Amino acid sequence: MEWKINTTHYNSESVADNGNRFLIGNGYMGIRGTLDECTKEHLVAVNLAGIYDQVGKGWREPLNAPNPLWTVLVVNGEPLTVFSSNVVSHEMTLNFRAGIFNRKTTWRLNDGFVTLESKRFASIADVHLIGMKYCVTSTFDAEVEILAGIDGDVWDIYGPHYERIEFGYEENLLSSEAFVQNKSDQVAVLRQNRFDERQAYDLEVIYPTPIQGISSYRMNLLKEQTLELTSVCLVYTTKDDPNPLIRAKNHIKTVNYEEALKAHLMAWEEIWSISEVEISGDVEAETAMNYSIYHLNIAAPRHCQNLSIPARALSGQTYKGAIFWDTEMFMLDYFMYTQPEIAKTLIKYRIDTLAGAKEKAKYYGFEGAFYAWESQEGGFDACSDYNVTDVFTQRPVRTYFKDKQLHISAAVVKAIMQYFELTGEYEILFKGGLETVFECAMFYRSTLIKPIIKDRYEIHDVIGPDEYHERVNNNAYTNYMAWYSMKSAIELGNLVKAHHPETYEKMDIDFEISRKCRNLNEVINQIYLPLPNSEHIIEQFDGYFKLEDISPETAKSRLKHPKEYWGGGNGVASDTQVIKQADVVTMLELYHEIFSIEDLKANWEYYEPRTEHGSSLSACMYAMVACRFNAPDKAYPFFMKSATTEIRGGGKQWAGLVYIGGTHPAASGGAWKNLIQGFAGLKFKHDEPVFTPNLPSHWEKLKFRIKHKGNVFNVTIEGEKVSYSIISKEYP
Ligand code: IFM
């Protein structure tokens, strides 16, 4: 397969989309796939992980750093950009095996041709570092000027976030220090420019003024010679060091472009040595899947131990750079089975934001921990009470995602349980994991109500994964997840107590909470868990079957405006059985072992035609469940929909004037789940992998690796034949 994507033309309509498709990154930052000469109009962004700001009443969003890659070429006084009318050819490529973005553009001038080739990488080995090489060749003797600087005119959705930016220079080192409005946060960016000294260019340098971070390099370039500029750039923030500029300046003394590139390539090879998948007989699926894995890795935090992956990864400020259930439910498995240390970091983020979740529970009158629907630093819930704007009145619409998606805490429980089950590592439980599970269980306990006329506990007034139906009672997904969370608290508490009684006693867990958790047995046996009816169908929530039964196409035909919101009070889906995304089907995937094949199939067949798949999280759950009832060819189109989400691009980029595009790491993670847990049917039993292969009929062979308790398993599946070997025991 080709480890490259490319485009050979430039047009303004694809700028937003290409920014995502050609994204590079390293978990610390994401750099949108825009060209050297582009500015904020082209949605240039160096998007930073885990550092946020709010301006006035705008949405709180992550910071974009000043852009240290801004470079413009001027030849014989004429600026040459991709927008110039004399472009003869243009190509933009992403090598996603190496995490390298390239561009090559040729212009025709009066005296001949000029070609610019540049490449850049966001080092995955040293996450503060960006490397760039910029080469110019001309077919005639030319006077060349290169403007190379740090662009402080930063693109924001709800900014501007910086009250001022101070620029500086020392020889070939440019610096900028951006000060966040009314806060002590700062972002420091350095750019060190070096020209290849083997060439004689008569270099004249005009250094920048303190209000502008651009150097100008003028030189005479002889025909057929190549001018080569390498830039090493660094980004630090006050999250890394109270004085990020000094830290960056110390760091830059130790780096060199070629060595940095080598380390970056080696780090990517290490990632691929565990992550690469081979699908013989389906090059489209193989390419899309590896490209999806690339996207998961450029978003994965490697530089710290308690950060998570936002719903739009590091592709920009969309969705407020916030963490949703997407991480635990869709992305975690990939990391669990390939780089468990990253899975631990994602979970640690939730453990470390427990205080925020407890505060939220209290605010809404519950006990325990109610995690943020859109979580930022400290567990702050960035979700607005008015997350949608009415297209007709332009007024904000009251939405209930933040207050009613109770299922979010259960995703955290599931992640901790899964991590513990697969690693057997008690340490994470001792260091906050058990307390987090207890607090989530307490939360669900406090959401239970017992109607006087019924002898069971119910959960009312919620939103399930299908966000089009708000404030419903007994959403099957939510009830099962609440039950699971409480059951997990009992089991985990008992386990820790039995195996580590002394540590358990010493743990700083509220005595009353641990007592209540141990006594949850009675409660969980009385929680209402909706069961399949005589036709094997589980009702999504109380009264769902009585709603108007129309198809998503009919709902769509009722729209009076293409961008109208389908859910909420007046939505075209709200009073119908049309759902936004997999809901009952997601629950069935999680608990497929307790349901029959008939149940799985019947619900799939009932709900799929009623699902709009309006979320990129939907298709992979349908693919999973189809594999569970042994219908891989039915699963295949849904798998492909998830796997090709990023490579295909497209999708909605704008809502009115607000940019809503970005990458979809949950779809990538979901596609990986389909491949490994769906088609290959992987499960671990007593530390041994067990497979129930269900490959699509046109696949000849599937090969992949997984890591479990330090062992790396090399797996090959051909038809029903599975073979695997343990190729290394890397970790103790
Ligand atoms: O978490 C999802 C949600 O389920 C549907 N809307 C988008 C969110 C972020 O991906």
Side-chain angles (χ1 to χ4, degrees):
M1 61 164 268
E2 268 265 58
W3 288 84
K4 283 187 182 147
I5 59 161
N6 79 331
T7 172
T8 50
H9 55 269
Y10 173 86
N11 70 52
S12 55
E13 281 85 66
S14 27
V15 164
D17 198 21
N18 284 341
N20 302 319
R21 292 178 61 239
F22 291 82
L23 184 78
I24 55 172
N26 56 24
Y28 180 86
M29 58 186 144
I31 303 176
R32 290 177 59 80
T34 52
L35 297 166
D36 315 290
E37 61 272 33
C38 288
T39 54
K40 69 188 213 187
E41 292 73 46
H42 316 105
L43 315 188
V44 171
V46 178
N47 184 246
L48 301 177
I51 180 162
Y52 301 89
D53 181 55
Q54 180 169 20
V55 177
K57 292 201 167 118
W59 284 351
R60 195 167 182 264
E61 61 187 8
L63 296 179
N64 286 335
N67 172 25
L69 297 168
W70 186 81
T71 312
V72 172
L73 174 66
V74 182
V75 175
N76 291 349
E78 184 181 341
L80 300 182
T81 70
V82 74
F83 319 110
S84 313
S85 54
N86 52 351
V87 172
V88 209
S89 66
H90 171 70
E91 184 172 18
M92 193 160 98
T93 311
L94 174 74
N95 174 339
F96 58 89
R97 177 135 195 142
I100 293 182
F101 170 94
N102 297 271
R103 74 91 61 96
K104 183 173 180 184
T105 311
T106 299
W107 294 265
R108 184 200 300 270
L109 279 80
N110 288 341
D111 300 322
F113 296 93
V114 174
T115 298
L116 160 65
E117 284 182 76
S118 72
K119 70 172 173 189
R120 65 170 81 140
F121 63 95
S123 172
I124 203 130
D126 177 355
V127 296
H128 298 279
L129 189 146
I130 307 164
M132 178 196 194
K133 189 164 265 193
Y134 191 89
C135 299
V136 182
T137 315
S138 160
T139 59
F140 56 95
D141 291 351
E143 275 177 27
V144 174
E145 179 179 14
I146 292 178
L147 299 167
I150 301 174
D151 183 6
D153 194 11
V154 173
W155 169 51
D156 284 313
I157 298 181
Y158 292 102
H161 295 285
Y162 302 122
E163 69 186 9
R164 67 179 200 284
I165 301 184
E166 289 175 7
F167 296 97
Y169 71 90
E170 296 159 28
E171 295 209 21
N172 54 7
L173 182 66
L174 299 169
S175 66
S176 74
E177 228 179 338
F179 296 84
V180 177
Q181 312 258 18
N182 308 320
K183 274 172 87 183
S184 54
D185 279 335
Q186 286 167 40
V187 177
V189 175
L190 295 186
R191 175 171 182 173
Q192 188 171 57
N193 293 324
R194 284 188 200 284
F195 284 88
D196 181 356
E197 282 156 14
R198 288 166 304 176
Q199 310 276 15
Y201 307 124
D202 295 333
L203 191 66
E204 181 200 345
V205 185
I206 301 168
Y207 288 116
T209 62
I211 50 155
Q212 177 216 36
I214 298 159
S215 286
S216 151
Y217 301 90
R218 289 186 189 153
M219 60 214 93
N220 296 317
L221 180 64
L222 299 180
K223 75 176 198 183
E224 307 303 348
Q225 265 195 8
T226 299
L227 175 168
E228 193 179 288
L229 162 70
T230 51
S231 299
V232 173
C233 314
L234 289 178
V235 181
Y236 272 91
T237 76
T238 28
K239 291 261 173 242
D240 308 306
D241 194 294
N243 197 328
L245 187 63
I246 294 186
R247 180 77 178 272
K249 283 186 174 172
N250 287 335
H251 186 170
I252 205 133
K253 290 179 197 145
T254 65
V255 293
N256 140 314
Y257 177 87
E258 294 303 335
E259 278 171 19
L261 177 60
K262 213 155 122 195
H264 167 76
L265 295 175
M266 273 169 62
W268 266 113
E269 276 314 304
E270 203 179 318
I271 292 170
W272 290 116
S273 72
I274 183 75
S275 296
E276 180 179 354
V277 298
E278 288 176 56
I279 306 173
S280 312
D282 195 339
V283 74
E284 192 193 347
E286 184 181 67
T287 311
M289 199 56 245
N290 283 307
Y291 179 73
S292 299
I293 292 172
Y294 163 78
H295 273 280
L296 287 167
N297 277 289
I298 61 173
R302 296 186 158 76
H303 58 286
C304 67
Q305 278 160 12
N306 60 351
L307 209 60
S308 194
I309 304 178
R312 291 292 171 268
L314 300 177
S315 61
Q317 293 161 321
T318 318
Y319 278 120
K320 306 157 192 141
I323 321 303
F324 290 62
W325 69 315
D326 304 32
T327 315
E328 287 78 17
M329 304 300 293
F330 297 82
M331 302 176 218
L332 189 75
D333 292 84
Y334 162 72
F335 293 108
M336 264 319 312
Y337 286 106
T338 57
Q339 298 157 88
E341 62 289 353
I342 294 176
K344 189 172 182 175
T345 297
L346 304 176
I347 293 170
K348 280 276 287 148
Y349 167 79
R350 293 300 195 177
I351 293 176
D352 289 358
T353 52
L354 178 62
K358 284 168 76 173
E359 229 171 82
K360 177 173 169 184
K362 209 162 160 194
Y363 177 83
Y364 286 105
F366 295 113
E367 288 180 14
F370 181 9
Y371 273 87
W373 180 242
E374 300 185 11
S375 184
Q376 295 181 340
E377 58 205 328
F380 171 79
D381 201 333
C383 187
S384 152
D385 285 342
Y386 300 87
N387 241 21
V388 169
T389 303
D390 182 81
V391 286
F392 303 109
T393 62
Q394 299 302 313
R395 291 207 177 100
V397 177
R398 178 67 165 102
T399 45
Y400 295 89
F401 307 135
K402 179 182 179 180
D403 18 7
K404 303 295 175 191
Q405 293 219 43
L406 268 49
H407 64 84
I408 175 67
S409 292
V412 176
V413 173
K414 187 192 153 278
I416 295 174
M417 293 303 288
Q418 189 185 1
Y419 184 85
F420 175 68
E421 279 156 18
L422 283 169
T423 62
E425 199 185 294
Y426 275 89
E427 198 211 346
I428 199 161
L429 302 181
F430 300 154
K431 294 195 171 152
L434 182 61
E435 185 183 359
T436 303
V437 173
F438 277 179
E439 293 289 358
C440 292
M442 282 300 99
F443 166 63
Y444 286 113
R445 178 180 172 276
S446 72
T447 66
L448 299 177
I449 57 169
K450 203 168 202 174
I452 290 177
I453 51 162
K454 292 180 190 160
D455 196 17
R456 66 187 190 197
Y457 289 111
E458 301 191 345
I459 304 180
H460 288 189
D461 200 11
V462 305
I463 302 184
D466 158 32
E467 293 171 328
Y468 288 162
H469 295 91
E470 296 185 345
R471 312 196 69 165
V472 301
N473 294 347
N474 293 315
N475 165 249
Y477 179 86
T478 307
N479 285 21
Y480 274 85
M481 289 306 269
W483 163 79
Y484 165 81
S485 301
M486 290 187 255
K487 189 164 84 64
S488 300
I490 304 172
E491 288 168 7
L492 212 57
N494 289 341
L495 204 75
V496 175
K497 207 164 177 216
H499 288 84
H500 296 274
E502 285 173 14
T503 320
Y504 187 81
E505 291 311 321
K506 278 193 226 134
M507 279 164 74
D508 190 21
I509 294 181
D510 186 299
F511 173 76
E512 195 48 20
I513 289 180
S514 74
R515 190 189 62 76
K516 282 182 187 163
C517 278
R518 272 180 283 122
N519 293 331
L520 277 173
N521 260 321
E522 222 180 280
V523 178
I524 63 164
N525 291 333
Q526 290 184 61
I527 296 180
Y528 169 48
L529 298 175
L531 292 173
N533 63 15
S534 54
E535 269 118 51
H536 296 277
I537 319 286
I538 296 174
E539 190 170 34
Q540 186 174 297
F541 52 80
D542 290 353
Y544 172 85
F545 288 146
K546 293 197 197 103
L547 297 176
E548 189 189 5
D549 193 7
I550 55 166
S551 68
E553 291 67 38
T554 307
K556 194 171 182 185
S557 71
R558 292 177 181 175
L559 291 173
K560 292 204 162 36
H561 186 292
K563 287 187 180 146
E564 203 181 317
Y565 183 52
W566 285 39
N570 299 316
V572 290
S574 308
D575 294 329
T576 76
Q577 291 191 30
V578 172
I579 62 172
K580 178 179 181 182
Q581 64 196 81
D583 192 307
V584 168
V585 165
T586 304
M587 183 278 283
L588 290 174
E589 161 49 20
L590 294 172
Y591 305 110
H592 62 269
E593 279 167 337
I594 59 177
F595 291 96
S596 68
I597 296 276
E598 286 81 9
D599 294 337
L600 301 178
K601 190 164 182 287
N603 281 282
W604 195 101
E605 281 170 356
Y606 186 84
Y607 283 106
E608 200 290 315
R610 292 165 175 82
T611 307
E612 187 221 353
H613 298 292
S615 158
S616 61
L617 277 52
S618 190
C620 62
M621 286 300 162
Y622 279 94
M624 287 307 293
V625 173
C627 287
R628 303 295 182 201
F629 62 83
N630 306 318
D633 289 329
K634 245 185 171 154
Y636 181 75
F638 293 91
F639 157 72
M640 283 303 275
K641 190 167 181 198
S642 298
T644 59
T645 302
E646 304 296 30
I647 206 160
R648 196 179 56 232
K652 267 198 254 164
Q653 303 288 328
W654 298 92
L657 292 179
V658 179
Y659 177 68
I660 55 157
T663 56
H664 304 79
S668 298
W672 189 91
K673 280 170 71 63
N674 294 165
L675 194 66
I676 310 299
Q677 295 166 314
F679 295 133
L682 168 75
K683 285 206 171 109
F684 267 89
K685 291 212 171 114
H686 310 296
D687 292 338
E688 279 297 316
V690 180
F691 299 90
T692 42
N694 250 322
L695 300 193
S697 48
H698 65 291
W699 287 10
E700 288 148 23
K701 202 193 285 179
L702 170 64
K703 283 176 85 173
F704 59 91
R705 287 178 182 176
I706 40 167
K707 199 176 267 180
H708 179 75
K709 290 197 176 166
N711 289 325
V712 174
F713 294 82
N714 197 11
V715 185
T716 304
I717 303 181
E718 282 182 272
E720 305 215 325
K721 199 170 133 248
V722 183
S723 55
Y724 69 83
S725 54
I726 300 180
I727 55 168
S728 81
K729 189 161 175 59
E730 289 187 358
Y731 300 108

